[in-house]
Amino acid sequence: MSHPAAVRTFADEVKAIPGGEHLELCYSCGTCVSKCMIQQKVEPDYNPRRLLRMVMMDMKEEAFESPTTWMCSECDLCYQACPQEIHISQVIAAVKQLAVDAGYTSPLTPVQVDEALCSGCGICSMVCPYQAPSLFEKVVDGEIDRFAQVDSNKCMGCGTCVGACPLGAISREGVSNSEIQSQIPSPDQTIPDIITFVCDWSLREGADVELLESYPADQVNVVHIPCTGRIDPQHALMALDSGVKGVLVCGCKPGECHFKRGNHVAKCKLGLLDTMFKQIQSPHKEIRFVQIGTQERGRIRHEIDEILTAVSPAKEAK
Amino acid sequence: MVDAARQPKIDVRTYTEVESVEGFVGNFKVTLREKAKHVLADRCNGCGDCARVCPIEVPNYYEMNLAPRKAVYIPMSQSVPLVYTVDLDACIHCYKCVEACGPLKAIDFSQEDKYVQEDIGAIVVATGFGHFDPSVMEEYGYGRFPNVITSMEMERLNNSAGLTAGNLIRPSDRKNPQKLAFINCVGSRDKRYNPGCSNFCCMYSIKNAVLLKQMYPNVDITIYYMDIRTPSKGYEEFYDRAREMGIHFVQGRPSLITEDEETHNLFVHSEDISLGRVIEKEYDMVMLNQAAVPQPDQNHMSSVLNVVQSPGGWFMEYHPKLRPIDSPTDGIFFAGACQGPKDIPASVAAGSAAASRASRILHSEKWEIEPIVAVVWPDRCSATTKGRACGLCVKACPYGAVVIDGDKAAEIITAKCHGCGGCVAECPEDAITQMHYTDAQILSQIRALLADKPEEKILAFRCQWCSYGGADLAGTSHFEYTANERGLRVMCSARMDSDFIYEAYRLGAGAVLYSGCHPQDCHYITGQKVGAKRADRLKKMFERMNMTDGRFRVEWISAAEGDKYARVLNEMQMTLDNMSPEELRDEIERLKPDMEKRLKRFPGVPGVSEAMDYSDTLVDAILKAKETS
Ligand SMILES: Cc1cc2nc3c(=O)[nH]c(=O)nc-3n(C[C@H](O)[C@H](O)[C@H](O)COP(=O)(O)OP(=O)(O)OC[C@H]3O[C@@H](n4cnc5c(N)ncnc54)[C@H](O)[C@@H]3O)c2cc1C
Ligand code: SF4
Ligand code: SF4
Ligand code: SF4
Ligand code: SF4
């Protein structure tokens, strides 16, 4: 009798990478899929459960081409909810690593460094949640100089580096300073009571997003940013300068940031701005940072109503 | 319950707790605490006048705390016996009840808990199961959202004898819900809480859906599930019927429930796996089918009864296939869900089986036990030789079968001994022997197995219940392993005496395997722990002596792990193959004197110690044990 020799399957390859081990325990219960925001918000074909299944069924090419492999931002919302305690983002990262090793590249648009502006300070590499930017040296005009470069397979496009770069040297279409500024009304336009900067992930698709859009334009102006990490203090200042009375920045609850820790970076920047305002005793204007969890249906309404009341003339008169 | 109470041969003791269980099969002494009701059972006629006047209301646990009861109460109208109880924690001592009771004078605040001891022949444990508290799963909002309820609450809400007389309402506004969602596996099949399946939730959620649909044909019911398990007769057909009635089934485990703060309606967020899409649907009310878990006091009961718990906390049976109703302690049986989630048919079957197992004992004049019991040779016990018993045997016995009375030699209550042999191996004076597994018998096996070219042999000590079965399975499955293995069976790893291991190496064994059950599978409650502790000591000792790593191995191998048994032995063979014959011989010779020294006090090692003198007292002791067993 001859026995078949052991075959190294795709699943074996994934399981050999730390984090991939528990892959086969998956019940295919779908908890991860519905916990994850990506399918509902941006990509109908995004499905971590199905990616795990593809690995188990040895569907290597399909897995490497699946949007799930490339779009997982390692937020780990699903990991907390998986009844089999599978570290899904690590399994996906293992698949992505194998895909990159096999020569596949990320379909996402990464940020790009403008070397003419880059000072090589390295701030982008410090704030990036994915270690996508790094510094490299090259000789320019006979001198050794340092510049940032971005690993396009690692960049998730959160824009945190864009918001942090002091020289505007790193950017990408969709998150550039000019595009965000164009959403802020200039002094010659109708000035709303408040401007809210809202990240793409914190509000529930459907009810909460609709609710935000339902305020009249002269009351609430909405500026969309990929992540609160992208917020640049100059945007808040520009907004206040245009004449609005309040700025509301809305991001994910601690521990729920879609881009791992963009919300921490935002909290830090906005906190500093608030302190500076207090120091120069500027006429009172509201800058608020709220962090809304996936479970907090309807909370955005309260937050907006509260800041609207806070900045309303009745209140000022008192 | 009413029927049971009427049966003249059934003595129902309610509001009573088992405090302690002593003795052994046929002769248990059970101490009961009859808690004070503060109402005299022989005077109370159950009229309820007291409760009507009582001004205090507290939540009624019987109604899942959804309805109130008074401080003097019966939990439900069918209570057996129909005698009221004063809840002193809630009572404000206004004594209105005493007044209302009037000439019956049934209320007696001076009553105290009573302790009684009963002679009991056999015990059936039927303490059932408890319920997982879903409020720890924040994602489902139980406890925060009023219209998220548990299945137990649903049982009360749609029960015609329940608080709403069967009119299903939702807690937030008491309106009849139109759209309902049931969520299965809440806290079950979830490694974060309970990895196991709760067995009956699939079926009762279908049952509840069918009942509701029959009563309110227009309600819309959706059951969210991971898998629907319908393994018994007629169950699949029932599931079919439910689908034909228009009950919706969504395969997908919800990840989140959110609430509209104004309407208190709920949004269930899940993937619909068949669609591969995330869906969010609105419901008036959501029922969580929470996991069945062991009773909150199951650990306590297990120590009172001296029975073992399986991983997860349920009571563990003697043998899952062959003795599924028996506990490891003779005379104690399990009925129903205390042993693991069971539905009503299975619980009733187990109850009947337990009753018949118990009646065998009650109808027997004499009870036969396995003859492999331990016997003390009082002459050698340190109580006799040194004036003080060391007590190691008492510590080793998982059944409390060894007793030491004052300065007398240790004694074994034969009826309680299960024959693991732990005390025999632990006794430093070699004052205990085990019938049919005497030291002499085991030693002669060791000597025979190592008679020829011992340095090539791997002596494998296996326990009867697990590793022996593992070895057996390796054989019947044709897993190849080294032909140099020589197996030897004892009942439990607890019986694997250090002296046996010394003797094996003294005789020049190439390697020794010390194997038994995984701790949770031990057939003798904690016998494996006794064996494991000793194995650990031996392992450290051989390390100190610089024995080549792998020549002494300790492995826990279940009866299902034939592959592991084969692998371990092949690895041990590899260890030997990696040593040159000279190297091995030198090591064996180097360790020999040490082994001899350790065996000096052990009776009957040829050329090392004196043979054991089978004195009359031991013979007497053995005869006595035979008589009682
Ligand atoms: C919501 C729900 C619906 C269900 N519907 C169905 C159904 O439709 N059909 C079906 O077949 N099964 C159903 N089941 C399963 C069913 O409840 C169990 O099969 C059954 O209750 C098990 O019976 P039992 O006697 O073993 O335990 P239990 O019913 O739990 O009874 C144990 C009893 O022991 C008492 N007790 C506990 N500890 C002690 C102690 N230390 N001392 C004295 N007394 C003690 C308890 O108070 C309790 O009265 C359902 C379960 C749930 C949760
Ligand atoms: S939540 Fe976990 S078990 Fe469920 S489908 Fe996702 S990975 Fe599998
Ligand atoms: S880690 Fe986050 S982004 Fe990745 S699959 Fe899970 S929920 Fe989605
Ligand atoms: S956009 Fe985000 S992920 Fe990409 S490099 Fe910048 S900080 Fe990193
Ligand atoms: S330890 Fe085992 S052999 Fe010894 S008395 Fe107890 S049950 Fe019997």
Side-chain angles (χ1 to χ4, degrees):
Chain A
M1 201 159 59
S2 80
H3 295 287
V7 180
R8 193 172 157 84
T9 61
F10 183 28
D12 292 333
E13 288 176 57
V14 172
K15 280 179 354 193
I17 299 176
E21 307 91 331
H22 305 301
L23 161 77
E24 274 158 344
L25 284 176
C26 175
Y27 281 144
S28 225
C29 70
T31 311
C32 49
V33 186
S34 66
K35 196 83 192 175
C36 181
M37 299 293 204
I38 298 176
Q39 188 190 93
Q40 302 147 70
K41 292 225 177 224
V42 288
E43 175 53 65
D45 277 340
Y46 188 90
N47 193 315
R49 172 183 66 79
R50 247 179 4 213
L51 183 74
L52 266 53
R53 197 77 208 140
M54 285 177 189
V55 175
M56 283 185 261
M57 299 312 285
D58 223 14
M59 297 160 67
K60 202 177 208 165
E61 261 128 61
E62 286 93 330
F64 287 169
E65 278 159 16
S66 160
T68 313
T69 300
W70 303 99
M71 292 178 77
C72 169
S73 62
E74 297 169 23
C75 71
D76 279 347
L77 282 184
C78 54
Y79 178 40
Q80 297 161 23
C82 172
Q84 289 291 75
E85 293 181 336
I86 297 171
H87 204 147
I88 299 147
S89 66
Q90 288 190 359
V91 180
I92 300 178
V95 176
K96 178 163 155 181
Q97 186 187 318
L98 291 168
V100 170
D101 293 349
Y104 286 75
T105 53
S106 170
L108 305 180
T109 316
V111 288
Q112 272 172 350
V113 178
D114 182 347
E115 283 177 17
L117 296 174
C118 177
S119 71
C121 69
I123 289 181
C124 52
S125 68
M126 281 187 272
V127 296
C128 174
Y130 304 96
Q131 288 94 40
S134 58
L135 293 178
F136 73 104
E137 287 178 347
K138 75 172 174 188
V139 180
V140 179
D141 298 338
E143 308 250 349
I144 294 180
D145 207 349
R146 289 204 303 177
F147 300 98
Q149 63 182 4
V150 175
D151 181 338
S152 60
N153 286 326
K154 286 186 177 167
C155 175
M156 300 305 298
C158 64
T160 303
C161 56
V162 188
C165 177
L167 299 173
I170 193 165
S171 192
R172 156 175 95 85
E173 200 188 320
V175 299
S176 68
N177 277 331
S178 57
E179 281 161 286
I180 292 184
Q181 282 157 14
S182 71
Q183 295 182 65
I184 302 172
S186 55
D188 54 329
Q189 288 170 309
T190 326
I191 302 301
D193 292 336
I194 62 160
I195 288 189
T196 101
F197 291 90
V198 50
C199 88
D200 284 342
W201 304 95
S202 56
L203 295 189
R204 301 194 58 73
E205 206 46 41
D208 285 350
V209 171
E210 281 162 24
L211 202 132
L212 186 66
E213 308 292 349
S214 71
Y215 284 90
D218 61 348
Q219 216 177 14
V220 179
N221 178 307
V222 182
V223 178
H224 293 280
I225 47 177
C227 174
T228 49
R230 168 67 189 92
I231 197 88
D232 188 328
Q234 62 161 327
H235 297 141
L237 291 173
M238 276 179 72
L240 292 175
D241 201 38
S242 76
V244 303
K245 300 178 200 108
V247 169
L248 181 72
V249 180
C250 172
C252 305
K253 205 174 126 178
E256 289 190 358
C257 177
H258 184 70
F259 296 107
K260 302 214 275 199
R261 54 188 171 82
N263 59 354
H264 292 276
V265 177
K267 193 171 179 185
C268 176
K269 286 195 268 196
L270 292 162
L272 180 66
L273 197 60
D274 200 38
T275 317
M276 277 156 62
F277 267 123
K278 287 199 180 107
Q279 277 169 354
I280 58 169
Q281 295 175 333
S282 92
H284 191 68
K285 298 234 185 183
E286 291 283 335
I287 295 191
R288 289 190 183 179
F289 181 42
V290 295
Q291 298 191 267
I292 296 185
T294 45
Q295 234 172 346
E296 299 173 302
R297 174 183 286 269
R299 181 172 151 203
I300 184 69
R301 184 210 315 257
H302 296 290
E303 297 295 348
I304 291 185
D305 291 351
E306 253 179 51
I307 186 166
L308 280 174
T309 323
V311 301
S312 72
K315 173 97 184 234
E316 267 175 16
K318 257 188 205 169
Chain B
M1 191 72 168
V2 178
D3 283 347
R6 279 204 202 107
Q7 228 308 323
K9 292 220 163 177
I10 299 180
D11 178 5
V12 178
R13 307 276 180 101
T14 59
Y15 214 43
T16 298
E17 278 181 23
V18 175
E19 287 288 311
S20 68
V21 174
E22 272 148 38
F24 47 88
V25 51
N27 294 287
F28 290 112
K29 296 251 177 286
V30 177
T31 308
L32 301 171
R33 178 159 72 100
E34 293 181 346
K35 294 193 273 184
K37 290 183 158 215
H38 305 294
V39 175
L40 303 171
D42 49 349
R43 293 204 187 161
C44 175
N45 65 6
C47 68
D49 286 346
C50 49
R52 269 184 285 280
V53 299
C54 177
I56 298 298
E57 281 193 346
V58 289
N60 186 355
Y61 68 86
Y62 184 78
E63 296 289 0
M64 299 312 294
N65 298 333
L66 294 169
R69 66 160 168 80
K70 296 296 183 66
V72 53
Y73 72 102
I74 48 169
M76 51 172 164
S77 51
Q78 312 90 318
S79 290
V80 171
L82 196 60
V83 174
Y84 276 71
T85 301
V86 181
D87 172 3
L88 278 194
D89 291 336
C91 169
I92 55 162
H93 297 273
C94 65
Y95 304 124
K96 289 208 167 103
C97 51
V98 180
E99 213 173 291
C101 189
L104 276 177
K105 285 196 165 50
I107 299 177
D108 172 9
F109 276 88
S110 69
Q111 207 182 40
E112 279 181 6
D113 291 0
K114 213 166 83 190
Y115 289 85
V116 291
Q117 202 185 52
E118 300 282 355
D119 289 329
I120 302 289
I123 298 173
V124 174
V125 186
T127 48
F129 63 104
H131 309 283
F132 170 72
D133 175 5
S135 61
V136 299
M137 294 180 74
E138 273 184 34
E139 58 264 45
Y140 291 161
Y142 177 73
R144 276 183 298 134
F145 304 151
N147 294 327
V148 176
I149 63 165
T150 66
S151 57
M152 285 301 284
E153 289 163 351
M154 175 62 92
E155 289 287 331
R156 298 316 303 156
L157 285 174
N158 73 2
N159 189 306
S160 56
L163 61 154
T164 57
N167 176 24
L168 183 69
I169 53 170
R170 64 176 204 163
S172 71
D173 51 13
R174 298 174 188 235
K175 289 204 182 112
N176 298 121
Q178 294 306 310
K179 280 194 80 177
L180 289 160
F182 296 175
I183 300 178
N184 285 3
C185 298
V186 174
S188 319
R189 306 180 66 202
D190 188 333
K191 289 208 161 42
R192 300 169 302 165
Y193 310 108
N194 306 288
C197 166
S198 294
N199 177 302
F200 40 64
C201 337
C202 281
M203 289 318 290
Y204 78 59
S205 84
I206 300 177
K207 170 201 76 173
N208 276 336
V210 168
L211 283 180
L212 287 173
K213 199 82 181 163
Q214 282 167 346
M215 253 189 298
Y216 313 99
N218 296 326
V219 295
D220 183 288
I221 303 176
T222 307
I223 297 179
Y224 290 84
Y225 68 96
M226 290 205 265
D227 298 288
I228 291 282
R229 298 185 165 174
T230 58
S232 295
K233 191 162 62 181
Y235 288 15
E236 185 66 21
E237 292 84 335
F238 189 61
Y239 175 31
D240 270 350
R241 214 174 105 205
R243 280 177 297 173
E244 272 169 3
M245 285 173 89
I247 291 156
H248 310 295
F249 287 83
V250 173
Q251 185 170 23
R253 183 175 172 278
S255 65
L256 191 63
I257 297 177
T258 53
E259 188 201 39
D260 183 305
E261 46 184 12
E262 269 149 38
T263 61
H264 292 294
N265 282 354
L266 301 156
F267 298 84
V268 175
H269 195 78
S270 82
E271 187 191 14
D272 180 327
I273 289 179
S274 316
L275 287 178
R277 287 281 173 275
V278 177
I279 54 171
E280 184 170 276
K281 296 237 177 252
E282 186 174 352
Y283 298 97
D284 300 336
M285 185 151 132
V286 173
M287 172 175 95
L288 306 180
N289 294 329
Q290 82 281 36
V293 295
Q295 288 282 13
D297 66 348
Q298 195 126 349
N299 293 349
H300 167 72
M301 281 317 289
S302 130
S303 62
V304 168
L305 296 161
N306 196 24
V307 295
V308 216
Q309 288 164 285
S310 315
W314 305 99
F315 292 138
M316 185 160 105
E317 55 286 322
Y318 193 92
H319 190 284
K321 289 187 193 132
L322 303 176
R323 291 175 72 176
I325 298 299
D326 302 7
S327 81
T329 303
D330 276 348
I332 301 186
F333 305 96
F334 300 126
C338 61
Q339 194 190 3
K342 284 195 186 74
D343 65 1
I344 293 172
S347 300
V348 170
S352 306
S356 86
R357 297 290 285 169
S359 71
R360 279 173 68 225
I361 295 175
L362 301 185
H363 287 104
S364 311
E365 295 265 302
K366 257 190 178 172
W367 191 247
E368 283 185 10
I369 59 170
E370 296 275 335
I372 51 175
V373 293
V375 180
V376 179
W377 183 6
D379 285 5
R380 291 185 71 106
C381 176
S382 61
T384 315
T385 56
K386 299 181 184 146
R388 218 181 124 257
C390 69
L392 287 176
C393 46
V394 179
K395 270 199 208 139
C397 181
Y399 301 91
V402 192
V403 284
I404 293 177
D405 180 11
D407 51 10
K408 285 203 221 110
E411 211 177 317
I412 284 164
I413 304 166
T414 306
K416 275 183 134 179
C417 174
H418 284 59
C420 67
C423 56
V424 187
E426 282 296 287
C427 178
E429 307 291 331
D430 296 304
I432 312 181
T433 188
Q434 182 183 9
M435 281 161 54
H436 306 284
Y437 285 91
T438 65
D439 286 351
Q441 284 172 316
I442 296 171
L443 284 172
S444 51
Q445 287 182 62
I446 296 175
R447 286 171 196 149
L449 294 172
L450 296 175
D452 185 31
K453 298 200 186 126
E455 69 284 355
E456 288 178 5
K457 303 292 183 307
I458 302 171
L459 189 66
F461 286 89
R462 316 157 173 169
C463 85
Q464 152 82 15
W465 304 97
C466 298
S467 51
Y468 191 88
D472 220 22
L473 185 65
T476 52
S477 314
H478 297 265
F479 293 143
E480 274 178 32
Y481 64 86
T482 169
N484 291 331
E485 184 252 24
R486 294 292 179 273
L488 194 154
R489 186 186 67 162
V490 289
M491 293 311 284
C492 176
S493 54
R495 179 69 184 97
M496 297 171 192
D497 203 318
S498 313
D499 294 327
F500 301 159
I501 317 293
Y502 302 149
E503 176 65 356
Y505 286 121
R506 186 190 72 86
L507 293 172
V512 174
L513 171 68
Y514 190 113
S515 71
C517 306
H518 292 279
Q520 69 274 18
D521 298 341
C522 179
H523 194 74
Y524 298 102
I525 312 183
T526 49
Q528 188 269 357
K529 291 208 176 85
V530 175
K533 220 165 138 189
R534 187 183 314 127
D536 223 38
R537 268 199 316 267
L538 285 166
K539 218 174 155 147
K540 288 208 183 95
M541 187 191 88
F542 290 131
E543 264 165 34
R544 273 199 308 278
M545 291 181 180
N546 281 328
M547 180 189 272
T548 301
D549 195 27
R551 281 191 58 216
F552 178 66
R553 265 187 81 164
V554 182
E555 289 293 342
W556 312 117
I557 301 173
S558 84
E561 293 175 320
D563 54 334
K564 181 170 176 188
Y565 192 82
R567 177 174 54 78
V568 166
L569 277 148
N570 287 335
E571 285 169 7
M572 292 178 79
Q573 182 63 51
M574 224 131 75
T575 305
L576 292 183
D577 292 347
N578 286 340
M579 294 176 85
S580 69
E582 298 74 41
E583 230 181 311
L584 181 60
R585 193 176 343 103
D586 287 354
E587 189 169 298
I588 290 172
E589 290 306 322
R590 179 166 62 76
L591 297 183
K592 213 172 238 176
D594 206 307
M595 298 296 111
E596 283 180 356
K597 203 167 88 214
R598 284 168 197 275
L599 285 164
K600 267 253 149 50
R601 36 147 285 282
F602 186 70
V605 179
V608 177
S609 63
E610 293 298 312
M612 193 195 269
D613 165 21
Y614 278 83
S615 77
D616 294 345
T617 36
L618 177 63
V619 176
D620 282 352
I622 293 179
L623 287 176
K624 200 173 134 217
K626 269 208 166 127
E627 211 167 87
T628 44
S629 67

